[in-house]
Amino acid sequence: MEAAESFGSGEGLNAVIDVLSTPVSVTDQDNRLVLVNDAFCTFVGRSKADLIGCFDYEIFPKEQAEILGGFDPISPGTKGDVSREARLVGDDGRIFVVVANKRAIEVGGSVYIVSVLTDITAYRQAEAHSKYLALHDSLSGLPNRVFLQDKIEKAMAQPQAFGLGGCLLCINLDRFVQVNDAYGYPTGDELIREFATRLQALVRSMDTVARLGGDGFAILLMDVRSKDAVSKLCRRILRAAQAPYTASGVEIKVGVSIGVVAGLEEVRSSAEALRRGDVALNVAKSEGGGRYRIYHEEMDAGRRNRVMIEAELRDALRSGMQLEVYYQPQISGEIISGVEALVRWNHPRLGLLGPAGFLPVAEESGLIIELGDFVLNAALTALRRWPDFRLAVNLSAIQLSDPQLARRIVAGLKQHGVPPERLELEITETAMLTADAATKANLRKLRDAGIRIALDDFGTGYSSLSHLQDIEIDRIKIDRSFIRNLGGRSDSAPIVQAVMYIARILGLDVIAEGVETEEQHRFLVEVGCNDFQGFLFSPPVPESQISGKSASPSSASN
């Protein structure tokens, strides 16, 4: 204690170090405290009287004392300060991060060690939070693309325990843009968070679920045994995604599309893995969504072709020179009662393309909205030539989710002077089954305006009857697959008869599409179907070839 009295004689030195806001302590050669300031007392929660003369291990737990005392300067000859960062645990369990700066000094022939502790807990917490934000998505809390790419690189570098090793799933929500448009971004954000929770519940702790931005997600699977295991997970994801969501108090239905990279051993980089996953994902989306596709090299060629088709379709829509609307007559008895508008593309490189050649690209790229407006405008213009015809126009699920659809259609009818009851809009059974609030609102507005609604491809989906009461329908269109199988090995006559019975009970009109033979025609007449469409009467033809009102089966060569 004499050394302590010698060093601390006079109140001046104590007063000086008490001014400092950082904890300061001085120990003698025996590692006993001889001087501390008020900040040090506050830091350790003890008074000066309790501290002077104590050793480090009497103040701090043994492990912490060893950390703090383990790098004491050996002698005054040590050049500069010695510094070390340490993690300390307080009595209440809180973790402190401090930087201890030490220097050996000589006073009155004795060596002392001056220690200054700087609490950098808040800084380290902010640094950790900043790092977390740099590697995680702020909305969902999931790892982001940067985090995922690092995990992919590590997965590619380590030996694989099982068959496929690491696998990558790239996932997009179907119809998410329409959710944002119909309900606003806060509702979309709720849906994103809920979907993220569903994904996390489907994977193992060793797997990584990431959000890539927007409606894009990815899952990195580790130590996968087989493609069958991946396929099972994909099917579980599809089912989980299709279950209704409740966001902002409304029920929303969406689906997902999944692109799979089955095995990362042949992939050169994380960027290449993500690119392949995106290619397979876009194939799944182009096929209508709600499915998964596993990447193979042939997909790249197909993707390049779709990119080219998309660019050429944009040019065609901009110029309006290559696109043309064909019309297939709809027959009641022996007269043409209406026509269905079907778009064709006079492609300069590929020749005349039907809808199957470019509609999937139009839907994937969002061009389907502009293309649909082109078809409707052209068809309404042509309808002036046929004052007794009804016009049927197809609408995709994407068009139906467009909040401005009803307004544009009603405005188009007024512009062309066409009574609304002469327009019939055909929607698919799938579109009806997945109808969201925006779709239902559009259909109500269209029917309120006097426009007819027909259910296309009836019978090819499931649970349709339970939905017919939700969305008012004027006409059912029997799918061509049932007409084609009449009298065949898988005779669909009972199905057609059941459809006719249902229609009579519900008071709905019926039209059969794809009628190609006299036998099919006779059967349909016998079961009470009076409206027909198909090659027996006429294929889709240009506007100039629709003339007169006679349309007997013998005119099939028209």
Side-chain angles (χ1 to χ4, degrees), residues 148-156 168 220 264 270 273-274:
L148 178 68
Q149 286 185 286
D150 181 64
K151 291 283 286 187
I152 293 173
E153 297 286 350
K154 290 177 180 177
M156 292 165 55
L168 179 67
L220 175 63
L264 300 176
S270 60
L274 287 166

Side-chain angles (χ1 to χ4, degrees), residues 8 21 39 67 70 72 101 146 172 177 181 256 265 267 300 316 348 358 364 392 394 517 537 550 556:
S21 59
I67 293 173
D72 287 346
N101 290 289
V146 175
N172 263 178
V177 172
D181 289 342
V256 296
E265 68 279 356
V267 182
D300 275 323
F358 59 94
E364 178 186 343
N394 292 282
T517 69
F537 304 96
S550 175

